[in-house]
Amino acid sequence: VALAEQAIASGDITGANQHFKNALTKDSSNPEANLGAAVTEIYLLQDDPDVSGLIDLFGGNIGTLFPAGRGPGLAAPAPPPAESPLRSSRASDALARMNLAPQARYDFLGNAGALFRFLLRAAADPPPIAAIQDVIRLKVLPRLSYAEARLQVVEGDPSFTWVLPPSVTGLASNLEVDMADVLLLDAMINTVQGTLEILIAYNLDVPSYSYVNVESLFTTPGSEWGTLYPDGSSQLSGARADWLTAITRMDAAAASVLAETDDQSDDLMPVDALGTGTEIAEFRAGLMELQTALTGPVYVRFTNRYAAADSERVDAQAFFTDPIPDLRMVVPDHSFDLNHQFVPN
């Protein structure tokens, strides 16, 4: 673990990852080695050329688990979005430095709409969807699962504390990482896992990426575009379970912070990180809305075709517990142009 800390200080995250894993071969229950292996495993996703191509595609939609660049310590500080009105906290600053900061708010219904638009865009101007799904299935999710398993070991010790000096983190003062921070990271990993599992649940492959006759995807007998993969139901069920786990972990993180009685001046997530207007508080609020959407019907407001305010009662959990076998069954009213491309009505 000491060698891993030295490697982090010099910017050698690959070396740090290996040192943490070497430590685990000597003591699989060591909390520092488990947490260090988890964080560096996620960080190193960027070094896989197949994964790096996904960062720009999904980085703005699934959280910022992917690093923005190299630097001393774990990473150079990531600048906050210019339009973000949220107040930064020590927790969000430090998490941004480790490139593990959550999005400001996890808007389930908004992201669901963005996901559906992505699926439609996949037919009109498709990236190599099958290849992307393979990278998610075979490379990204296994490493996230590895990280989560390491965190679960750490969570077995509620008194866990790890103080990292400035020489390791690059911050101005010591950084105390405790159980609340581990639970927060676990919540974020589960949030990302849930989103990615949706993306690999359906067959979105097309015969050729140079030209796609979208109309044929909808009308050709035997076309499997938009249909649920054989393991699609389990992926969607897993997505819902991961999101609910994220909510549980976030609640536990908040409870852990509120129960602390020690000096919090060097804490990664002190109690004021949960205050109104912080990024962590907004992430938690978004997860609370997600819980509501996943456990019962909610009313969704929208503007109807007559440009009037309207609402609809939506049971989002049904998408995960009773999946749509073919997405084409629920595509909005549409037609096809002379080039056989999709045109929403």
Side-chain angles (χ1 to χ4, degrees):
V1 171
L3 290 172
E5 290 181 349
Q6 293 174 22
I8 290 173
S10 65
D12 180 13
I13 310 304
T14 300
N17 180 260
Q18 189 58 59
H19 285 308
F20 283 129
K21 289 181 176 178
N22 290 343
L24 290 174
T25 66
K26 302 174 185 299
D27 179 5
S28 61
S29 64
N30 181 273
E32 292 84 2
N34 274 283
L35 178 56
V39 173
T40 55
E41 190 78 4
I42 294 171
Y43 189 99
L44 290 174
L45 274 169
Q46 69 173 336
D47 288 342
D48 187 310
D50 291 329
V51 175
S52 63
L54 301 182
I55 295 176
D56 290 339
L57 182 60
F58 295 119
N61 295 320
I62 64 172
T64 48
L65 282 174
F66 299 112
R70 295 288 187 178
L74 286 171
E83 69 277 8
S84 175
L86 300 178
R87 175 168 56 86
S88 178
S89 66
R90 181 180 176 84
S92 56
D93 289 344
L95 286 169
R97 185 172 186 82
M98 293 189 290
N99 295 112
L100 297 170
Q103 293 296 312
R105 167 165 284 194
Y106 194 79
D107 177 3
F108 167 73
L109 294 173
N111 277 294
L115 173 62
F116 193 71
R117 288 191 295 274
F118 168 77
L119 298 179
L120 293 178
R121 193 164 61 247
D125 184 20
I129 296 297
I132 290 173
Q133 290 177 321
D134 284 344
V135 172
I136 292 172
R137 186 188 300 271
L138 301 176
K139 294 191 173 184
V140 179
L141 284 175
R143 297 182 82 160
L144 293 180
S145 294
Y146 172 84
E148 184 183 7
R150 303 282 68 74
L151 296 182
Q152 288 175 352
V153 175
V154 184
E155 289 162 9
D157 179 10
S159 63
F160 167 74
T161 299
W162 188 11
V163 178
L164 297 169
S167 60
V168 174
T169 65
L171 298 172
S173 59
N174 284 345
L175 181 68
E176 180 181 299
V177 182
D178 55 27
M179 184 53 56
D181 311 309
V182 175
L183 292 165
L184 172 63
L185 179 56
D186 197 344
M188 288 186 281
I189 289 176
N190 273 281
T191 300
V192 174
Q193 284 176 314
T195 303
L196 292 179
E197 283 162 339
I198 294 179
L199 293 176
I200 61 174
Y202 286 91
N203 183 345
L204 303 173
D205 205 8
V206 295
S208 169
Y209 294 113
S210 59
Y211 173 75
V212 180
N213 182 332
V214 179
E215 186 173 4
S216 70
L217 300 179
F218 281 73
T219 61
T220 301
S223 171
E224 295 184 351
W225 187 89
T227 59
L228 198 65
Y229 278 128
D231 68 343
S233 292
S234 63
Q235 295 293 350
L236 293 175
S237 175
R240 181 175 182 270
D242 283 336
W243 278 335
L244 292 175
T245 297
I247 295 161
T248 300
R249 296 289 187 271
M250 186 66 247
D251 287 345
S256 179
V257 169
L258 294 172
E260 291 181 15
T261 57
D262 63 330
D263 178 17
Q264 297 192 17
S265 61
D266 62 350
D267 279 19
L268 174 58
M269 186 169 65
V271 67
D272 62 5
L274 297 175
T276 303
T278 66
E279 292 177 352
I280 302 300
E282 288 294 300
F283 178 63
R284 185 186 183 194
L287 287 178
M288 292 172 66
E289 293 177 0
L290 176 60
Q291 182 178 33
T292 301
L294 291 177
T295 54
V298 294
Y299 280 94
V300 179
R301 292 186 296 273
F302 61 95
T303 302
N304 62 27
R305 68 177 65 190
Y306 305 108
D310 205 342
S311 65
E312 186 67 60
R313 190 168 182 261
V314 176
D315 187 1
Q317 68 173 327
F319 177 73
F320 302 95
T321 58
D322 185 18
I324 301 165
D326 189 334
L327 293 174
R328 293 168 295 187
M329 297 166 54
V330 294
V331 169
D333 291 342
H334 63 277
S335 58
F336 296 97
D337 61 22
L338 296 178
N339 295 317
H340 308 288
Q341 301 303 304
F342 185 91
V343 179
N345 292 339

